Amino acid sequence: MTATRRRLPVLAAAAVAAAAAVWVLFLATDTPAGTVLDEPGAFVVTALDAVTFAGLLFVAASGFTLIFGLMRTVNMAHGSLFLLAAYVAVGVQQAMVGKTRNIDASEVGIADWLVPMLAGATAAAVVGTVIQQVFLQWNEGQELRQALITLAITVVLADQMLREFGGLAQRMVWPGAVTHFITIFGQRYATTRLFMLGVAVVIGVLLWLWLNRTRLGMVVRAGVDDRQMVRGLGINIRLVFAVVFFAGAFLAGVGGVLGASFAGAAPGTDGAWLLNSLVVVIIGGLGSIKGAAAGSLLYGTVVAFSPAYLPSQYSFYAIILTFGLLALVLAVRPYGLYGRPA
Amino acid sequence: MRSGSPVYRRGAALALLVVVLIALPSVVPAFFINFVMTQTLMLGLAAATIVFLAKYGGMVSLAQFLLFGVAGFMYGNAALEAGSRGLNLGWHPWAAVAFALAVTTAAAFLLGALASRTTGLYYLMLTLVYAVIGYFVFAQITEISGPSGITSIKRPELLAAPVSLYYTALGLSVLAYLGFRALGRTAFGLALQGMRDDPVRMASLGFNVPLHRTLAFTLGGFVAGLGGLVNVWWNGQIDPASIGIGPTLILLIIAVIGGVSYFEGAWLGAFVYVAMSTYLRDLPLIDRIGITEARFNTVIGAIVLLIMVLSPQGLAGIADRLRRRPTRPRRPAAGSADETEAAIRRAQLIDE
């Protein structure tokens, strides 16, 4: 491959990014949001939407990428764990508040949200660990077989959750203390989205501290780089695998509870969030936490900006832009932004 | 026929099977032909493209059902004269067929080219993303479908009789089976298999690895499109939910049940799947153990789980193993994908 051929996709990507910026700044007059010069408020709100949604994406995708990074297991049941945690949390919250429907935010204290979140995430983590111990522990290294096994588990779990929790959408209620509106550039904005971003940031920081400041995190990072060597040093990698799978499934669960508070949970949510996690890690690079953060931001930006800044009669085409982002990133880096062919 | 009896036996068995299938409509009830067998053949045709890509190229694709659906949507858009949804181009049915196949093939070329530098797990994930994005494209863009899809699609006059669809699906299936097998012995097929096993060596021998992968995916898309046309003629309608993530996984499951490195397995898996979905509820005592139609996915999922845990080569693999027990074990395409991936990573390292 010659240097020019290699540089061509990078130049194309830069040109597309520049064109998008110029469009949003000056040209997007016929769109729901309007240009930045005319409607700065709409731009700020869209940008906030992008960042807050990216926070949710990061929580969901970081667990997926953590598991892959260490074990090379593509956990196709990630979306199912996401949905399972959401259902469990909704059930616990209803029990704690004492009402099954029409729960108002004012009736929900912080504990009525935090305890269900921990319960839901723990349920997902336990189920995930059982899946890992029963179905994935003995066939380590057979990547495709593991992916197909988790796909089959997804089909079974989706059907069983439909039986258990029904087909209607259920919603987790944000605590009343964070349910307000603030005014930004003349636009009302829900503080619950900022709270969601806050939770995501806290999780990101904790994850970083765990991986970079603890002994176990050090082993995990070493395992990502060279599993054989870690094994050779006498570390019980089986235990490390189980702990990481627990943590990854727990993260899926936290994502599920945030998602259920943000947009509700229903059959199909599992598939949608498997897709979201896949898109994020394909863009960011499988196995890289940094990549998950970058992928979440890029994907969140496209998801938030494309309906707002496409001409009104073309807003339905927003999904094509997601595909365009994917195509652009893969053309430049086939293994994602921070992925490496290891 | 080079070396003798196994090849002859296989050919004879196939010929016998085809004769039986041709004669079948005159001996069994019409429901079995028009519902079970027609569906088996068209799903088998689509699943065979998964097998083709996995077996020769080491690429496990989840986008085949999307391409199956694209052909159906495009036929519906082109053939309908009036309707509340779709383009309603009102073309002659055969022009619509050509249009549908052209669009499907072009889409397959584009998607294949984009994925051509990845293999193994990355390929699986990327094609799953294709499938879901494709679903949203048809669900959201009302010009070509919209959420409720395109209805009352007519088939060409020539295929008006229900049994003619069965024969069409049978003819296409036989052609695809023979064609895919023959392709494995051509220069292109051999190069593709070489790239599955060692892309670095093939690249250094001067083969264009991404191009071969792209062309293989394009061919797979074309054949899946043929299956999709039969499907839309059979159904008379198509909607985005029918190409969503559920059906996409079902097609992979069909290929996996049959055995993802055996072409026969595609149709075998399709038959098992269609027969189960049709007859499971009629089995005696099935209600007693809590398996009703609504819990069908649990049964299917559990079966796939069992097959993947016991033998990743599926039913055809199990049959093959029983038949040739004393000889050496065959190497499954699914297993070699990992090596392909490792090898392509090496290639990239050398590249840089």
Side-chain angles (χ1 to χ4, degrees):
Chain A
M1 236 185 247
T2 62
T4 32
R5 257 191 77 188
R6 177 157 288 209
R7 215 170 295 139
L8 199 64
V10 181
L11 290 177
V16 170
V22 169
W23 171 265
V24 168
L25 272 171
F26 307 112
L27 301 172
T29 42
D30 256 353
T31 62
T35 66
V36 175
L37 296 182
D38 297 339
E39 298 277 348
F43 175 78
V44 172
V45 165
T46 312
L48 275 175
D49 277 351
V51 179
T52 49
F53 185 61
L56 178 53
L57 285 171
F58 173 76
V59 174
S62 59
F64 188 85
T65 207
L66 185 68
I67 290 174
F68 180 85
L70 184 66
M71 287 170 255
R72 306 276 135 192
T73 298
V74 168
N75 180 20
M76 293 285 185
H78 202 71
S80 302
L81 297 173
F82 182 97
L83 183 59
L84 177 71
Y87 280 138
V88 170
V90 169
V92 172
Q93 189 183 47
Q94 287 172 348
M96 286 179 74
V97 177
K99 278 167 87 175
T100 55
R101 52 173 67 191
N102 297 329
I103 300 176
D104 192 75
S106 58
E107 301 168 64
V108 181
I110 290 281
D112 294 331
W113 188 85
L114 268 184
V115 173
M117 183 194 84
L118 291 174
T122 308
V126 169
V127 172
T129 311
V130 169
I131 291 174
Q132 192 256 342
Q133 288 294 313
V134 176
F135 292 109
L136 303 175
Q137 199 233 86
W138 47 270
N139 51 16
E140 183 203 318
Q142 302 175 38
E143 305 176 351
L144 217 47
R145 190 178 187 182
Q146 292 192 330
L148 291 173
I149 283 177
T150 50
L151 266 183
I153 292 173
T154 302
V155 173
V156 174
L157 279 182
D159 204 38
Q160 289 303 315
M161 284 194 281
L162 180 62
R163 182 178 65 84
E164 195 64 37
F165 302 105
L168 294 176
Q170 304 200 28
R171 210 177 170 109
M172 179 97 178
V173 184
W174 291 111
V178 300
T179 313
H180 300 291
F181 285 91
I182 52 168
T183 310
I184 304 167
F185 285 90
Q187 308 254 359
R188 273 157 59 83
Y189 201 78
T191 46
T192 50
R193 288 194 75 132
L194 299 175
F195 176 69
M196 185 167 81
L197 178 64
V199 174
V201 169
V202 168
I203 295 223
V205 170
L206 287 178
L207 199 57
W208 185 84
L209 286 175
W210 180 49
L211 288 175
N212 290 286
R213 289 285 181 272
T214 66
R215 204 187 129 73
L216 185 60
M218 206 164 69
V219 173
V220 171
R221 281 185 299 134
V224 170
D225 285 336
D226 192 337
R227 269 183 296 173
Q228 295 304 325
M229 195 62 217
V230 170
R231 215 181 289 248
L233 289 173
I235 290 162
N236 184 354
I237 197 121
R238 286 239 159 127
L239 183 67
V240 179
F241 279 8
V243 170
V244 167
F245 214 98
F246 186 90
F250 189 87
L251 285 170
V254 175
V257 179
L258 286 174
S261 316
F262 169 64
T269 306
D270 47 353
W273 277 92
L274 174 61
L275 170 78
N276 285 340
S277 307
L278 284 176
V279 172
V280 167
V281 298
I282 289 175
I283 291 173
L286 257 174
S288 157
I289 300 280
K290 221 183 340 175
S296 303
L297 273 174
L298 270 177
Y299 181 43
T301 304
V302 167
V303 167
F305 275 80
S306 49
Y309 284 96
L310 276 174
S312 302
Q313 70 269 36
Y314 293 116
S315 345
F316 290 139
Y317 289 77
I319 186 71
I320 305 239
L321 289 191
T322 302
F323 179 74
L325 171 70
L326 205 63
L328 210 59
V329 170
L330 287 179
V332 181
R333 294 188 62 97
Y335 290 94
L337 293 175
Y338 290 94
R340 49 188 176 164
Chain B
M1 305 281 152
R2 272 156 302 154
S3 58
S5 63
V7 183
Y8 273 123
R9 232 186 297 156
R10 193 192 277 273
L14 177 70
L16 187 68
L17 182 66
V18 169
V19 169
V20 168
L21 286 175
I22 288 175
L24 205 58
S26 50
V27 279
V28 296
F31 171 79
F32 186 75
I33 292 298
N34 296 334
F35 193 84
V36 177
M37 287 313 288
T38 309
Q39 232 181 331
T40 296
L41 289 169
M42 68 200 190
L43 285 175
L45 190 59
T49 64
I50 293 185
V51 174
F52 163 63
L53 293 172
K55 183 181 166 79
Y56 290 162
M59 308 178 277
V60 180
S61 164
L62 277 168
Q64 300 314 106
F65 207 76
L66 168 67
L67 296 164
F68 184 83
V70 167
F73 275 113
M74 288 306 134
Y75 178 81
N77 272 309
L80 274 187
E81 281 162 26
S84 52
R85 294 174 294 271
L87 296 168
N88 298 316
L89 295 175
W91 290 356
H92 188 273
W94 294 109
V97 167
F99 173 71
L101 288 175
V103 172
T104 310
T105 312
F109 181 79
L110 182 74
L111 297 178
L114 194 57
S116 64
R117 287 158 77 191
T118 59
T119 45
L121 279 179
Y122 290 82
Y123 210 88
L124 185 78
M125 289 191 290
L126 188 56
T127 48
L128 178 60
V129 171
Y130 286 170
V132 183
I133 288 182
Y135 160 77
F136 281 117
V137 164
F138 285 108
Q140 295 185 353
I141 301 180
T142 43
E143 280 84 354
I144 53 173
S145 157
S148 48
I150 301 176
T151 49
S152 41
I153 300 168
K154 299 249 181 331
R155 48 186 189 246
E157 296 275 325
L158 189 67
L159 302 170
V163 78
S164 62
L165 273 188
Y166 168 73
Y167 283 120
T168 310
L170 179 61
L172 290 174
S173 291
V174 172
L175 277 181
Y177 177 79
L178 294 175
F180 279 145
R181 288 189 68 95
L183 191 70
R185 292 188 294 270
T186 61
F188 176 78
L190 290 172
L192 202 57
Q193 292 172 68
M195 284 158 198
R196 175 198 67 200
D197 294 336
D198 196 342
V200 187
R201 188 174 296 175
M202 294 305 283
S204 62
L205 286 172
F207 287 93
N208 187 340
V209 176
L211 182 68
H212 275 72
R213 293 208 180 110
T214 306
L215 290 179
F217 190 82
T218 310
L219 177 67
F222 173 78
V223 176
L226 291 173
L229 281 175
V230 179
N231 174 55
V232 78
W233 290 332
W234 183 75
N235 258 322
Q237 61 169 56
I238 186 161
D239 60 274
S242 67
I243 61 163
I245 191 168
T248 296
L249 293 185
I250 295 286
L251 194 68
L252 181 70
I253 282 171
I254 284 173
V256 168
I257 292 178
V260 87
S261 47
Y262 299 87
F263 286 115
E264 301 87 344
W267 286 276
L268 181 66
F271 181 73
V272 170
Y273 173 77
V274 175
M276 274 184 51
S277 65
T278 314
Y279 297 117
L280 189 66
R281 73 190 101 140
D282 298 337
L283 286 182
L285 298 177
I286 204 83
D287 292 335
R288 297 269 181 80
I289 53 172
I291 298 170
T292 54
E293 204 182 339
R295 297 283 78 80
F296 176 64
N297 277 340
T298 300
V299 179
I300 277 285
I303 288 176
V304 174
L305 194 58
L306 199 68
I307 288 179
M308 287 318 294
V309 167
L310 294 179
S311 155
Q313 284 129 298
L315 294 177
I318 293 171
D320 201 38
R321 214 188 302 167
L322 291 178
R323 196 146 40 93
R324 58 174 86 188
R325 194 190 291 267
T327 56
R328 68 193 165 78
R330 277 176 77 123
R331 205 165 80 145
S336 63
D338 302 345
E339 290 158 37
T340 318
E341 204 181 320
I344 204 163
R345 283 171 184 159
R346 283 201 301 278
Q348 297 235 333
L349 287 176
I350 293 165
D351 234 354
E352 270 152 27

